[in-house]
Amino acid sequence: SLKPSIGSYNALLLAAKNARQPAALGQIRERLEASAANDSRCRFNRDTYKLLAGHLLQCNDLDGALAMLEEAKLNKQASGGLYVCYIKYYLSTRGAAKARAMVEEARAVDIAISPKIVEEIKRAEATAAGSRSAPPRSAPIVTAGVQD
């Protein structure tokens, strides 16, 4: 019989994410976690951590997402793309200081973050600094990670 591999789970996770089906993504995640416990072919890789962290952040489960990041680091599967998920989340919640901390954490382990994303953080920090003394303004549009 055919048994799923991490690649097939990642494809399902990506399809559910792109279709904006968080419930389906959650179900796939549960099956994947159960499979990973019993089958080495289902060990999480960089893509898995990135997809699952993105899902947890989308569901506003920051604690779960941060635990996912710690697990990825322990398994040497943390990547720039994974850190960008957290940076985008923090930028979308007006957490520019936390986004900056994520960039510094990534750099500390030799993971490069795109200069475009760093610039976006600087803009968010400037907006936050300006809003302390000025009337509230609308939030900047988050475009981090988009390639030209």
Side-chain angles (χ1 to χ4, degrees), residues 108-129:
V109 291
D110 294 325
I111 295 175
I113 301 296
S114 162
K116 286 183 177 183
I117 293 171
V118 174
E119 281 302 313
E120 188 156 350
I121 293 169
K122 287 179 184 175
R123 284 193 303 274
E125 289 171 332
T127 300

Side-chain angles (χ1 to χ4, degrees), residues 3-132:
K3 292 192 177 189
S5 67
I6 195 62
S8 59
Y9 276 113
N10 285 349
L12 287 170
L13 288 168
L14 184 60
K17 177 183 171 246
N18 289 343
R20 300 188 187 280
Q21 296 291 325
L25 223 153
Q27 291 171 350
I28 297 164
R29 178 178 158 226
E30 288 173 14
R31 291 190 67 186
L32 171 57
E33 288 173 340
S35 294
N38 302 317
D39 189 343
S40 64
R41 290 173 300 186
C42 292
R43 286 209 179 105
F44 291 12
N45 63 23
R46 288 172 185 233
D47 291 335
T48 313
Y49 284 111
K50 182 179 159 189
L51 288 163
L52 292 176
H55 167 63
L56 292 167
L57 290 169
Q58 188 177 35
C59 295
N60 291 316
D61 181 0
L62 183 57
D63 291 338
L66 290 172
M68 187 70 55
L69 176 61
E70 290 305 313
E71 184 179 326
K73 291 190 301 190
L74 282 173
N75 291 312
K76 301 190 182 334
Q77 295 297 317
S79 66
L82 179 61
Y83 277 96
V84 167
C85 289
Y86 296 91
I87 292 166
K88 285 181 179 180
Y89 174 81
Y90 286 129
L91 286 173
S92 72
T93 60
R94 297 180 180 249
K98 290 182 179 182
R100 165 78 56 202
M102 278 288 158
V103 170
E104 297 308 319
E105 181 179 320
R107 286 180 176 159
V109 291
D110 294 325
I111 295 175
I113 301 296
S114 162
K116 286 183 177 183
I117 293 171
V118 174
E119 281 302 313
E120 188 156 350
I121 293 169
K122 287 179 184 175
R123 284 193 303 274
E125 289 171 332
T127 300
S131 67
R132 289 187 193 111

